[in-house]
């Protein structure tokens, strides 16, 4: 096997430090406006892949764990190291934990499927292909699958002040070299227009998405309600 790739016998399981909750769902714009109230929010893609938790220690990628059932996930660090766009080194020297979505673009999905001669063996959608790619025991296979990671949430970052703003967290993650999920800053007056714009963009974008996520920008306010996303 080429130098740099690793073959594992199994994927270890590990409990998350904080449970990963499901989102409240709605298709009602008025419900989103009422939920926002007088707060600003961040409206972003709900990407259709596998949620991954990354941990960095002293500027280096130390661990990657899948969402699993929200309580316990699988350790896939070797695979994450060969994702197309995950930085292996970052400037932040403290402990950093973040969450994001691993996805395979439609264009790569079509290319990989075309390389499979047996039509019955082809993958049904990019999410299925991504799930199998992220959870490979041989990361040489993962490296060929063009898996991308888009950060959507910062869990902990030592010695960093985000002035109580989720948008500042995302901008900081970008400064560290992460690609973040595309978002729009909204309020109750602009959220309907933003939803409409996303609805047009989803028709042509290369990254699989199965909805939108709305977060409060004010971190403390969101945490005071117990849930921060809809």
């Amino acid at each position: 096997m080429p130098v740099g790739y690793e073959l594992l016998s199994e994927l270890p399981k590990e409990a998350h430090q904080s449970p990963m909750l499901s989102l409240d769902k709605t298709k009602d714009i008025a419900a989103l406006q009422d939920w926002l109230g007088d707060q600003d929010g961040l409206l972003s893609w709900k990407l259709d892949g596998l949620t991954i938790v990354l941990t960095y220690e002293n500027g280096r990628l130390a661990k990657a764990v899948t969402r699993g059932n929200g309580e316990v996930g699988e350790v896939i660090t070797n695979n994450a190291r060969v994702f197309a766009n995950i930085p292996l080194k970052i400037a932040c020297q403290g402990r950093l934990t973040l969450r994001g979505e691993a996805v395979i673009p439609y264009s790569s999905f079509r290319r990989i499927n075309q390389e499979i001669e047996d039509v019955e063996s082809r993958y049904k959608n990019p999410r299925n292909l991504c799930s199998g790619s992220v959870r490979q025991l041989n990361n040489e296979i993962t490296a060929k699958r063009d898996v991308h990671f888009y950060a959507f949430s910062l869990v902990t970052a030592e010695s960093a002040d985000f002035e109580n703003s989720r948008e500042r967290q995302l901008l900081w993650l970008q400064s560290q070299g992460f690609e973040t999920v595309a978002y729009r800053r909204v309020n109750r007056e602009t959220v309907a227009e933003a939803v409409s714009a996303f609805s047009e963009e989803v028709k042509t974008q290369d990254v699989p998405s199965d909805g939108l996520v709305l977060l409060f920008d004010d971190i403390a306010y969101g945490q005071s309600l117990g849930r921060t996303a809809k």
Side-chain angles (χ1 to χ4, degrees), residues 90-148:
I90 60 174
C92 175
Q93 291 299 301
R95 182 183 178 88
L96 167 65
T97 306
L98 67 148
R99 295 171 179 168
E101 198 80 355
V103 297
I104 292 179
Y106 284 117
S107 55
S108 299
F109 166 72
R110 289 190 290 266
R111 172 182 58 78
I112 292 167
N113 253 356
Q114 288 171 358
E115 293 171 356
I116 302 173
E117 293 185 4
D118 180 8
V119 175
E120 295 299 320
S121 297
R122 290 178 178 174
Y123 293 91
K124 295 190 183 333
N125 53 60
R127 190 184 192 281
N128 286 353
L129 175 60
C130 185
S131 178
S133 302
V134 166
R135 300 173 63 252
Q136 284 287 330
L137 296 178
N138 181 353
N139 69 349
E140 184 177 8
I141 296 174
T142 307
K144 298 175 180 177
R145 297 286 178 81
D146 197 30
V147 181
H148 285 66

